[in-house]
Amino acid sequence: RNLMQENLIDILSKTSQPVIFITHSVDEAVYLSDRIVVLTKRPATIKSVFDIPWEKPRDRASPEFTSLRKEILEELRSENVLD
């Protein structure tokens, strides 16, 4: 999975095409995205939007990465999506 993510970053760096990527993995979203949209339960509406300011590739062990990951997980918990 990590290799595929690295390949995707490489491909996206060579094109200017926008991509909508849907995942249930918060780690993957923070690693690959420029913007993350958190949805509510059904009927889905936009709960929050997180813009990612860091260049790619990202360090998954950095304090900033971990902090944003925790913030997004808390948004999902408050929506009871993780229960």
Side-chain angles (χ1 to χ4, degrees), residues 30-69:
V30 175
Y31 189 69
L32 294 175
S33 303
D34 296 320
R35 178 177 293 141
I36 296 172
V37 178
V38 176
L39 301 176
T40 63
K41 285 185 174 181
R42 291 183 187 144
T45 59
I46 295 174
K47 180 174 178 63
S48 53
V49 177
F50 295 88
D51 288 313
I52 315 294
W54 316 304
E55 295 295 319
K56 295 178 191 120
R58 299 186 178 130
D59 178 4
R60 296 179 203 254
S62 74
E64 297 83 10
F65 189 101
T66 303
S67 176
L68 181 58
R69 183 178 176 279

